[in-house]
Amino acid sequence: MKSYEEEVKNFSWEISKKELGYKDGDIINIGWYCSDRICEMGKANKIAFIWESFKGEEKRYTYNDLRVLTNTIANYLKNLGIKPGERVCLFMDKIPELYFGLIGILKMGAIAQPLFSAFGSDSLLTRLEDAQTSAIITQKKHLPKVRNILDKLPYMNYIIVVDDDGAKPLREKEYAFNLEKEERIEKFDIYPSTAETPSILHYTSGTTGKPKGAQHVHYSLISQYITAKYVLDLQDDDIYWCTADPGWVTGTSYGIIGPWSNGVTQCVTEAGFTAENWYRFIEKHKITVWYSAPTAIRALMREGNEIVKKFDLSSLRHLASVGEPLNAEAVLWSQEVFGKMFHDTFWQTETGCIVISNYPGMKIKPGSMGKPFPGIEATVVDLKTFVPLERTGVVGMIAIKPGWPSMFRTYWKNEETYKGKFKNGWYLCGDRASIDDEGYFWFVGRDDDVINAGGHLVGPFEIESALIEHPAVAESAAVGKPDPINMEVVKAFITLKKGYEPSKELELNIMNFIRKKLSPLAMPQEIEFVESLPKTRSGKIMRRVLRAKEWGEDIGDTSTLENDM
Ligand code: PRX
């Protein structure tokens, strides 16, 4: 990206279309753009994917491998009898079949429905029932979860097991598929999808309610390609690592489509999070661009600075974060230990691509989400009239002018809820923020997380950010609890860093520390030390659960809660 201001003046989505060689009305299949096209551009032998298993075993795939293996999957699914438009669920750990599976499904015209493999049977059932999914690609270890619910899934016809070893016979509707042993399909007739052909059905992480299926289309590529290039700064010689699981939108938009449509090499590890694992991974593969999330960054901060020094992380060139507000403290910490700031990016399952962000080369104001992507018209609107706020620094709802290419097209079988997201010609994100006099967006909180303290709306983010500046605090969540006078007052839940124990003294010390930073209304009236905070499996703090407990209310749908197995 040239300078941000220049880009805003000159940008149009046509630039992306031109780079992709796409003209309105053409066939557009994301699967082709992520593999065949890159080969046609002369990069068939370039490494597309470096994958590491739990045990550290490594596999490498070129763009030609990616092309052929995704053809192989597409061909297999088509021959099984799966038709374009049917939903095919991907229910696997982060193994190559998950990544290639998504592209394979798109190539044969079906709709990919990725679901996080740690979901239990109930979470799986809700989403497969809703989408009337007809096939699921999974692993032996997850098969029992599918078998448990099969009798409740009349539309499910194909259960494809990618690592069946023949030890136990498969049942009716179950099929063994081995990507490595299957005959490689050099040529496959890719489904001639057009702009509005459905591509991916992503169930939202449900921090606030029942998960909804956000329906995306192949045209989303136009914004996913160019945002990956401009915001994540992907360049030809980059080694990219997106830590998100493709069960969530970050893991598909920027863990599959963004890097591969840009012809970049990306790395994935199946291993779970530990600071040691992650730093070793960056060092070993010389990762240059790293896209992660605040929850992981705070976990790394918790492990301290010493461990960072054990690794050579000098390959890192650009760092970005998404999923939750990124506290200023985390941005400053990353500058201190990695010599690079994490660039906060804001978007949603529904937006399909990054919509507000800090860009390479732009001045970063730690704690701010940055500015709208060129081509995206974003603002904050009044809470009642939905008219853009004229004064800077006033909190309103984040709103985006519809029409960007990767906007979701509906909620699956829930058009009414979809329509309810649009007011006064704006798409409402369901988040609150203010804009400063330089056009930077400052996140306040999700609509439902905002605390009403005596008629004053207080966002949890500023309280939590003040709290984590205290040396003992690892993470925090601020919620409203009932109060006879003020309606709500702030209560803070805190997890502590290693070496700190909960005590009355520490509570007082923390209170004194934040008193200087917060307005009296934002000051917590109570602190509760906890071992961990309730989070979605994608790493978001579920304040709703903490709040419901304070109010003695039902906690609602918790199917995405981390510990609901
Ligand atoms: O509340 C905002 C928060 O995550 C929501 C979207 O979640 P999801 O659909 O699961 O997609 C996550 C990955 C794209 C938003 O409505 N959120 C996401 N990024 C940020 C954020 N909140 C503050 N700052 C961010 N950078």
PDB file of all heavy atoms in Angstrom, residues 38-54:
ATOM      1  N   ILE A  38      -2.569 -19.505  -9.626  1.00  0.00           N
ATOM      2  CA  ILE A  38      -1.197 -19.241  -9.168  1.00  0.00           C
ATOM      3  C   ILE A  38      -0.211 -20.094  -9.989  1.00  0.00           C
ATOM      4  O   ILE A  38       0.866 -19.636 -10.357  1.00  0.00           O
ATOM      5  CB  ILE A  38      -1.066 -19.531  -7.647  1.00  0.00           C
ATOM      6  CG1 ILE A  38      -2.137 -18.777  -6.844  1.00  0.00           C
ATOM      7  CG2 ILE A  38       0.348 -19.208  -7.147  1.00  0.00           C
ATOM      8  CD1 ILE A  38      -2.072 -17.266  -6.894  1.00  0.00           C
ATOM      9  N   CYS A  39      -0.623 -21.334 -10.306  1.00  0.00           N
ATOM     10  CA  CYS A  39       0.237 -22.185 -11.150  1.00  0.00           C
ATOM     11  C   CYS A  39       0.383 -21.565 -12.536  1.00  0.00           C
ATOM     12  O   CYS A  39       1.479 -21.511 -13.090  1.00  0.00           O
ATOM     13  CB  CYS A  39      -0.358 -23.589 -11.268  1.00  0.00           C
ATOM     14  SG  CYS A  39      -0.350 -24.478  -9.718  1.00  0.00           S
ATOM     15  N   GLU A  40      -0.737 -21.095 -13.074  1.00  0.00           N
ATOM     16  CA  GLU A  40      -0.683 -20.481 -14.413  1.00  0.00           C
ATOM     17  C   GLU A  40       0.217 -19.250 -14.426  1.00  0.00           C
ATOM     18  O   GLU A  40       0.743 -18.859 -15.459  1.00  0.00           O
ATOM     19  CB  GLU A  40      -2.090 -20.081 -14.880  1.00  0.00           C
ATOM     20  CG  GLU A  40      -2.908 -21.276 -15.322  1.00  0.00           C
ATOM     21  CD  GLU A  40      -4.321 -20.918 -15.770  1.00  0.00           C
ATOM     22  OE1 GLU A  40      -4.599 -19.719 -16.012  1.00  0.00           O
ATOM     23  OE2 GLU A  40      -5.147 -21.843 -15.867  1.00  0.00           O
ATOM     24  N   MET A  41       0.358 -18.622 -13.257  1.00  0.00           N
ATOM     25  CA  MET A  41       1.219 -17.429 -13.181  1.00  0.00           C
ATOM     26  C   MET A  41       2.697 -17.812 -13.054  1.00  0.00           C
ATOM     27  O   MET A  41       3.546 -16.966 -12.799  1.00  0.00           O
ATOM     28  CB  MET A  41       0.809 -16.567 -11.981  1.00  0.00           C
ATOM     29  CG  MET A  41      -0.537 -15.880 -12.171  1.00  0.00           C
ATOM     30  SD  MET A  41      -1.163 -15.211 -10.616  1.00  0.00           S
ATOM     31  CE  MET A  41      -0.167 -13.737 -10.470  1.00  0.00           C
ATOM     32  N   GLY A  42       2.983 -19.111 -13.155  1.00  0.00           N
ATOM     33  CA  GLY A  42       4.380 -19.555 -13.128  1.00  0.00           C
ATOM     34  C   GLY A  42       4.897 -19.923 -11.743  1.00  0.00           C
ATOM     35  O   GLY A  42       6.099 -20.059 -11.536  1.00  0.00           O
ATOM     36  N   LYS A  43       3.980 -20.091 -10.782  1.00  0.00           N
ATOM     37  CA  LYS A  43       4.452 -20.421  -9.434  1.00  0.00           C
ATOM     38  C   LYS A  43       4.096 -21.853  -9.021  1.00  0.00           C
ATOM     39  O   LYS A  43       3.945 -22.142  -7.833  1.00  0.00           O
ATOM     40  CB  LYS A  43       3.821 -19.452  -8.425  1.00  0.00           C
ATOM     41  CG  LYS A  43       4.251 -18.006  -8.592  1.00  0.00           C
ATOM     42  CD  LYS A  43       3.818 -17.218  -7.365  1.00  0.00           C
ATOM     43  CE  LYS A  43       3.750 -15.738  -7.619  1.00  0.00           C
ATOM     44  NZ  LYS A  43       3.177 -15.023  -6.490  1.00  0.00           N
ATOM     45  N   ALA A  44       3.943 -22.749 -10.019  1.00  0.00           N
ATOM     46  CA  ALA A  44       3.521 -24.120  -9.702  1.00  0.00           C
ATOM     47  C   ALA A  44       4.460 -24.797  -8.708  1.00  0.00           C
ATOM     48  O   ALA A  44       4.038 -25.585  -7.866  1.00  0.00           O
ATOM     49  CB  ALA A  44       3.431 -24.933 -10.985  1.00  0.00           C
ATOM     50  N   ASN A  45       5.747 -24.471  -8.793  1.00  0.00           N
ATOM     51  CA  ASN A  45       6.696 -25.151  -7.908  1.00  0.00           C
ATOM     52  C   ASN A  45       6.985 -24.390  -6.618  1.00  0.00           C
ATOM     53  O   ASN A  45       7.797 -24.821  -5.800  1.00  0.00           O
ATOM     54  CB  ASN A  45       8.012 -25.414  -8.653  1.00  0.00           C
ATOM     55  CG  ASN A  45       7.776 -26.407  -9.763  1.00  0.00           C
ATOM     56  OD1 ASN A  45       6.961 -27.328  -9.603  1.00  0.00           O
ATOM     57  ND2 ASN A  45       8.432 -26.195 -10.898  1.00  0.00           N
ATOM     58  N   LYS A  46       6.328 -23.283  -6.461  1.00  0.00           N
ATOM     59  CA  LYS A  46       6.516 -22.522  -5.222  1.00  0.00           C
ATOM     60  C   LYS A  46       5.796 -23.247  -4.077  1.00  0.00           C
ATOM     61  O   LYS A  46       4.729 -23.821  -4.264  1.00  0.00           O
ATOM     62  CB  LYS A  46       5.936 -21.108  -5.395  1.00  0.00           C
ATOM     63  CG  LYS A  46       6.082 -20.263  -4.155  1.00  0.00           C
ATOM     64  CD  LYS A  46       5.638 -18.831  -4.389  1.00  0.00           C
ATOM     65  CE  LYS A  46       5.749 -18.073  -3.059  1.00  0.00           C
ATOM     66  NZ  LYS A  46       5.431 -16.679  -3.163  1.00  0.00           N
ATOM     67  N   ILE A  47       6.369 -23.181  -2.870  1.00  0.00           N
ATOM     68  CA  ILE A  47       5.705 -23.806  -1.723  1.00  0.00           C
ATOM     69  C   ILE A  47       4.480 -22.976  -1.332  1.00  0.00           C
ATOM     70  O   ILE A  47       4.584 -21.778  -1.076  1.00  0.00           O
ATOM     71  CB  ILE A  47       6.660 -23.920  -0.513  1.00  0.00           C
ATOM     72  CG1 ILE A  47       7.866 -24.806  -0.841  1.00  0.00           C
ATOM     73  CG2 ILE A  47       5.930 -24.458   0.724  1.00  0.00           C
ATOM     74  CD1 ILE A  47       7.549 -26.277  -1.033  1.00  0.00           C
ATOM     75  N   ALA A  48       3.330 -23.675  -1.297  1.00  0.00           N
ATOM     76  CA  ALA A  48       2.090 -23.010  -0.891  1.00  0.00           C
ATOM     77  C   ALA A  48       1.853 -23.215   0.601  1.00  0.00           C
ATOM     78  O   ALA A  48       1.323 -22.340   1.288  1.00  0.00           O
ATOM     79  CB  ALA A  48       0.912 -23.583  -1.668  1.00  0.00           C
ATOM     80  N   PHE A  49       2.254 -24.383   1.103  1.00  0.00           N
ATOM     81  CA  PHE A  49       1.814 -24.785   2.438  1.00  0.00           C
ATOM     82  C   PHE A  49       2.908 -25.579   3.142  1.00  0.00           C
ATOM     83  O   PHE A  49       3.406 -26.569   2.602  1.00  0.00           O
ATOM     84  CB  PHE A  49       0.571 -25.673   2.247  1.00  0.00           C
ATOM     85  CG  PHE A  49      -0.260 -25.886   3.475  1.00  0.00           C
ATOM     86  CD1 PHE A  49      -0.577 -24.855   4.334  1.00  0.00           C
ATOM     87  CD2 PHE A  49      -0.771 -27.159   3.754  1.00  0.00           C
ATOM     88  CE1 PHE A  49      -1.386 -25.066   5.452  1.00  0.00           C
ATOM     89  CE2 PHE A  49      -1.582 -27.376   4.859  1.00  0.00           C
ATOM     90  CZ  PHE A  49      -1.884 -26.326   5.713  1.00  0.00           C
ATOM     91  N   ILE A  50       3.293 -25.115   4.303  1.00  0.00           N
ATOM     92  CA  ILE A  50       4.200 -25.896   5.155  1.00  0.00           C
ATOM     93  C   ILE A  50       3.393 -26.259   6.390  1.00  0.00           C
ATOM     94  O   ILE A  50       2.877 -25.380   7.077  1.00  0.00           O
ATOM     95  CB  ILE A  50       5.450 -25.084   5.565  1.00  0.00           C
ATOM     96  CG1 ILE A  50       6.186 -24.599   4.316  1.00  0.00           C
ATOM     97  CG2 ILE A  50       6.362 -25.915   6.470  1.00  0.00           C
ATOM     98  CD1 ILE A  50       7.359 -23.670   4.598  1.00  0.00           C
ATOM     99  N   TRP A  51       3.275 -27.538   6.628  1.00  0.00           N
ATOM    100  CA  TRP A  51       2.409 -27.990   7.723  1.00  0.00           C
ATOM    101  C   TRP A  51       3.224 -28.808   8.726  1.00  0.00           C
ATOM    102  O   TRP A  51       4.049 -29.625   8.339  1.00  0.00           O
ATOM    103  CB  TRP A  51       1.275 -28.841   7.152  1.00  0.00           C
ATOM    104  CG  TRP A  51       0.392 -29.432   8.217  1.00  0.00           C
ATOM    105  CD1 TRP A  51      -0.607 -28.809   8.879  1.00  0.00           C
ATOM    106  CD2 TRP A  51       0.450 -30.768   8.730  1.00  0.00           C
ATOM    107  NE1 TRP A  51      -1.190 -29.671   9.779  1.00  0.00           N
ATOM    108  CE2 TRP A  51      -0.561 -30.879   9.712  1.00  0.00           C
ATOM    109  CE3 TRP A  51       1.260 -31.887   8.466  1.00  0.00           C
ATOM    110  CZ2 TRP A  51      -0.783 -32.063  10.430  1.00  0.00           C
ATOM    111  CZ3 TRP A  51       1.025 -33.052   9.178  1.00  0.00           C
ATOM    112  CH2 TRP A  51       0.018 -33.129  10.147  1.00  0.00           C
ATOM    113  N   GLU A  52       2.992 -28.541   9.987  1.00  0.00           N
ATOM    114  CA  GLU A  52       3.684 -29.287  11.036  1.00  0.00           C
ATOM    115  C   GLU A  52       2.670 -29.982  11.927  1.00  0.00           C
ATOM    116  O   GLU A  52       1.707 -29.351  12.383  1.00  0.00           O
ATOM    117  CB  GLU A  52       4.485 -28.300  11.889  1.00  0.00           C
ATOM    118  CG  GLU A  52       5.933 -28.706  12.036  1.00  0.00           C
ATOM    119  CD  GLU A  52       6.677 -27.752  12.962  1.00  0.00           C
ATOM    120  OE1 GLU A  52       6.458 -27.831  14.186  1.00  0.00           O
ATOM    121  OE2 GLU A  52       7.449 -26.948  12.449  1.00  0.00           O
ATOM    122  N   SER A  53       2.880 -31.268  12.180  1.00  0.00           N
ATOM    123  CA  SER A  53       1.953 -32.016  13.037  1.00  0.00           C
ATOM    124  C   SER A  53       2.282 -31.752  14.497  1.00  0.00           C
ATOM    125  O   SER A  53       3.295 -31.125  14.820  1.00  0.00           O
ATOM    126  CB  SER A  53       2.074 -33.506  12.758  1.00  0.00           C
ATOM    127  OG  SER A  53       3.276 -33.981  13.328  1.00  0.00           O
ATOM    128  N   PHE A  54       1.452 -32.298  15.372  1.00  0.00           N
ATOM    129  CA  PHE A  54       1.689 -32.238  16.825  1.00  0.00           C
ATOM    130  C   PHE A  54       3.107 -32.656  17.180  1.00  0.00           C
ATOM    131  O   PHE A  54       3.751 -32.077  18.031  1.00  0.00           O
ATOM    132  CB  PHE A  54       0.762 -33.242  17.533  1.00  0.00           C
ATOM    133  CG  PHE A  54      -0.581 -32.682  17.798  1.00  0.00           C
ATOM    134  CD1 PHE A  54      -1.721 -33.286  17.261  1.00  0.00           C
ATOM    135  CD2 PHE A  54      -0.730 -31.568  18.592  1.00  0.00           C
ATOM    136  CE1 PHE A  54      -2.977 -32.771  17.513  1.00  0.00           C
ATOM    137  CE2 PHE A  54      -1.989 -31.048  18.843  1.00  0.00           C
ATOM    138  CZ  PHE A  54      -3.108 -31.648  18.303  1.00  0.00           C
TER     139      PHE A  54
END
